Amino acid sequence: MPAAKVRKAVFPAAGLGTRFLPATKAQPKEMLPVVDKPIIQYGVEEAMHSGIQNIIIVTGRGKSAIEDHFDVSFELEHLLESRGKKDLLGIVRQVSDMIDVSYIRQKEALGLGHAVLRAQELVGPEPFAVVLADDVIEAETPCIRQLLDIYEFFGAPVLAVMEVPPESISSYGCIDAEPVSHNGSKNKVFRIRDLVEKPKQSEAPSNLAIIGRYILTPDIFESIGKVEPGAGGEIQLTDALRHLLRSRPIYAFKFEGTRYDAGDKLGFLKATVEFALQRHDLGAPFREYLKNLVL
Ligand code: G1P
């Protein structure tokens, strides 16, 4: 039987953004712009280009700017129309026409697992993607699409992973896994044996870190409901996956592409520079400017 189609993507966006204070005191970190587009829009476009039709954003207090961003702005559209600014009007409309977006509140930031559980009613009994917008991924084939291909083949949950330096593994979920050969490649798909959230370097089973893209099946909700608070006192998605692993296989995929941790100041700067250099309207003058910097 073919795997059920993935139509929905959940974007947990209720975190407090403490890594980016003071910029995130009064504005959601998901709205910080990389060049001229909010971080979350990169993730929404990735989902859309992967064939996903419905976006579910789990928001919290002070996140109304996200809803406004994906909503129609009559005043702005009217102003741009009356001034004949067709290009800008197109950009603004493209955002609100983009996709079907629904919202659900996570009243307290109790962890990633808890945020995903909040989306249960909107997701319903079908498989879905989870996108952590902080992880901006540039790839020829959108990362979610890459994971969907693996999901469709195995009919099982799939997590995105990448190798990180051993000293960084304690910032991530980490997997213990055995490679599975798939489509002629031997070291890209893994069957997960175990997984642990933010292990100490000395206790990490590998240097394969979970990156913020997941294809999940609806049985994850029951597992989330069963786990106790873990790392940082939060309900962790990694712990729920560990629980789910007892009853079904879970896979990991070393995706192709470059990932920026845009929720971190240095990662955000790197993403900004790289994305600006690739823009045809900004790339050339920006490159010239950078060349003349005394470093
Ligand atoms: C979350 C997940 C972690 C994953 C990371 C990827 O952690 O809990 O397993 O490795 O995202 O960005 P956070 O960065 O929200 O602490």
Side-chain angles (χ1 to χ4, degrees):
M1 209 172 69
K5 190 169 161 43
V6 175
R7 302 183 303 141
K8 301 175 179 176
V10 173
F11 284 65
L16 298 175
T18 47
R19 287 193 294 167
F20 233 112
L21 283 167
T24 47
K25 189 179 168 207
Q27 102 176 294
K29 67 171 173 186
E30 294 77 12
M31 290 303 294
L32 295 172
V34 170
V35 186
D36 54 5
K37 222 190 274 179
I39 290 176
I40 194 166
Q41 194 177 330
Y42 288 92
V44 169
E45 288 178 3
E46 182 190 320
M48 198 172 73
H49 295 144
S50 301
I52 289 194
Q53 295 133 357
N54 296 292
I55 300 294
I56 298 163
I57 303 183
V58 184
T59 65
R61 274 175 64 80
K63 301 279 184 166
S64 54
I66 300 177
E67 296 181 34
D68 291 342
H69 182 70
F70 291 107
D71 198 0
V72 176
S73 172
F74 288 109
E75 302 88 329
L76 183 59
E77 288 191 18
H78 179 71
L79 180 95
L80 295 172
E81 206 158 16
S82 65
R83 295 196 179 160
K85 305 244 183 223
K86 284 212 176 113
D87 291 0
L88 291 178
L89 188 61
I91 290 173
V92 166
R93 282 206 175 131
Q94 206 191 342
V95 177
S96 52
D97 289 349
M98 203 169 263
I99 213 159
D100 179 27
V101 187
S102 16
Y103 300 90
I104 178 96
R105 292 280 269 208
Q106 182 188 17
K107 291 195 186 115
E108 286 172 280
L110 297 179
L112 177 58
H114 181 259
V116 172
L117 188 57
R118 292 293 298 140
Q120 180 172 16
E121 223 165 281
L122 290 173
V123 169
E126 53 181 287
F128 61 104
V130 171
V131 178
L132 308 187
D134 278 8
D135 287 324
V136 175
I137 300 178
E138 210 193 354
E140 215 165 284
T141 303
C143 183
I144 299 171
R145 185 64 255 164
Q146 297 180 38
L147 296 188
L148 285 172
D149 291 343
I150 305 297
Y151 159 78
E152 282 159 13
F153 185 85
F154 291 100
V158 187
L159 326 181
V161 292
M162 71 183 240
E163 282 176 31
V164 298
E167 63 276 15
S168 311
I169 196 71
S170 57
S171 306
Y172 298 91
C174 173
I175 63 164
D176 176 16
E178 55 184 314
V180 177
S181 61
H182 177 67
N183 272 351
S185 66
K186 280 212 178 98
N187 249 316
K188 301 216 70 168
V189 180
F190 299 85
R191 183 165 167 169
I192 296 180
R193 278 192 290 248
D194 199 2
L195 60 176
V196 48
E197 179 69 10
K198 308 212 167 73
K200 283 192 199 139
Q201 185 184 340
S202 58
E203 287 163 15
S206 74
N207 66 337
L208 285 172
I210 302 170
I211 298 305
R213 302 289 184 276
Y214 309 73
I215 307 297
L216 300 177
T217 44
D219 45 5
I220 191 67
F221 294 124
E222 203 188 320
S223 290
I224 298 174
K226 292 212 167 123
V227 295
E228 298 290 327
E234 299 187 336
I235 302 286
Q236 296 291 350
L237 183 58
T238 305
D239 294 343
L241 285 161
R242 187 163 199 245
H243 180 274
L244 185 62
L245 195 57
R246 294 189 208 155
S247 54
R248 71 179 305 153
I250 301 177
Y251 293 85
F253 183 62
K254 231 199 273 176
F255 61 95
E256 312 236 330
T258 309
R259 170 257 186 180
Y260 299 95
D261 180 4
D264 165 77
K265 289 173 193 173
L266 185 59
F268 179 86
L269 287 170
K270 288 180 186 171
T272 303
V273 171
E274 296 284 350
F275 282 60
L277 284 172
Q278 285 167 29
R279 286 271 295 251
H280 28 222
D281 54 342
L282 292 168
F286 188 47
R287 183 167 282 106
E288 274 315 300
Y289 166 75
L290 292 176
K291 271 192 205 151
N292 290 323
L293 286 181
V294 182
L295 295 172

